[in-house]
Amino acid sequence: NAGVTQTPKFQVLKTGQSMTLQCAQDMNHEYMSWYRQDPGMGLRLIHYSVGAGITDQGEVPNGYNVSRSTTEDFPLRLLSAAPSQTSVYFCASSYSIMGGYTFGSGTRLTVV
Amino acid sequence: QQQVKQSPQSLIVQKGGISIINCAYENTAFDYFPWYQQFPGKGPALLIAIRPDVSEKKEGRFTISFNKSAKQFSLHIMDSQPGDSATYFCAAPGRPNAGGTSYGKLTFGQGTILTVHP
């Protein structure tokens, strides 16, 4: 099993550009989430999903869109990149919150 | 939004000492309180978690203490080792929400950078 796979690992964007961060898991997990990690801010929840077709907003959803058309994939779209979106992004999945999340290795995004 | 407040922000202990990290939370949809450990360049990984039927959970040198009335829980690392040096995050489930998806929401604290000196 590959676990949770995030691509790309590194990305530099110009302000105003859009892009999609990919996240795929092969564990048949229903629950998936996107977090961003910034120094001193911990892990902040952007969006989460409890199954295909069901998504909801987290703490910091503005500027990001998600969709969940399959159980395996949960892409995160940046609509118009801003320097404030420079961060490390983590995708995570779980069969149950109480089962513990499996995190991907992260995408380091820099917006210039 | 669920608030999870974690302290201290950083902690330095000597090898063999006890490391203590605290978290406070607001209302949650259910009682489940995990701690995650993160090493540099890696994603967080589940370390230990406590469920609603107990006030303390121990796994090796790691113990969670849970005080439901105070809405607080803490991580104790006994006999701390240099290999324990990492960032630790507490987490809590989301509040009940109108959409009924709160059971899938996990909110993290700000993190504690633990350094254990040899």
Side-chain angles (χ1 to χ4, degrees):
Chain A
N1 287 347
V4 178
T5 302
Q6 290 185 239
T7 56
K9 293 190 182 303
F10 301 94
Q11 183 70 49
V12 178
L13 285 180
K14 293 182 179 179
T15 297
Q17 286 185 317
S18 63
M19 79 160 295
T20 299
L21 306 186
Q22 301 291 344
C23 176
Q25 52 91 8
D26 61 357
M27 298 171 284
N28 202 32
H29 287 169
E30 290 294 326
Y31 298 73
M32 296 187 76
S33 292
W34 276 102
Y35 293 89
R36 59 177 289 175
Q37 183 172 18
D38 304 288
M41 303 293 287
L43 290 159
R44 291 184 291 171
L45 181 64
I46 305 171
H47 287 284
Y48 65 103
S49 170
V50 297
I54 308 171
T55 64
D56 207 342
Q57 296 181 349
E59 306 163 69
V60 289
N62 292 341
Y64 307 95
N65 273 356
V66 292
S67 60
R68 184 98 180 269
S69 57
T70 67
T71 299
E72 294 77 20
D73 300 299
F74 191 41
L76 178 71
R77 297 182 186 86
L78 278 70
L79 308 175
S80 176
S84 61
Q85 293 179 305
T86 293
S87 186
V88 179
Y89 291 84
F90 286 101
C91 178
S93 75
S94 177
Y95 70 88
S96 163
I97 292 295
M98 290 196 278
Y101 264 127
T102 298
F103 279 79
S105 57
T107 294
R108 185 173 293 274
L109 175 68
T110 302
V111 183
V112 297
Chain B
Q1 299 285 358
Q2 170 68 279
Q3 292 285 328
V4 179
K5 296 185 178 180
Q6 183 175 344
S7 63
Q9 191 170 3
S10 63
L11 182 60
I12 299 173
V13 300
Q14 293 296 122
K15 179 181 176 181
I18 301 174
S19 304
I20 302 174
I21 306 171
N22 301 298
C23 269
Y25 64 95
E26 299 176 354
N27 293 331
T28 59
F30 55 94
D31 291 339
Y32 168 76
F33 302 97
W35 286 90
Y36 281 73
Q37 181 187 53
Q38 183 184 32
F39 293 104
K42 303 291 186 182
L46 180 65
L47 178 65
I48 185 173
I50 194 165
R51 299 191 185 187
D53 53 342
V54 295
S55 60
E56 186 175 281
K57 173 81 175 290
K58 183 176 182 179
E59 289 184 359
R61 296 183 294 107
F62 300 90
T63 300
I64 298 178
S65 297
F66 175 55
N67 185 333
K68 184 169 183 175
S69 61
K71 291 188 170 61
Q72 294 176 349
F73 59 107
S74 60
L75 175 69
H76 294 233
I77 305 174
M78 310 300 288
D79 187 25
S80 299
Q81 300 296 312
D84 297 331
S85 297
T87 300
Y88 293 81
F89 294 97
C90 61
R95 293 175 179 168
N97 63 13
T101 62
S102 59
Y103 60 90
K105 183 177 181 180
L106 195 63
T107 300
F108 284 79
Q110 297 86 347
T112 297
I113 301 172
L114 172 64
T115 303
V116 182
H117 285 156

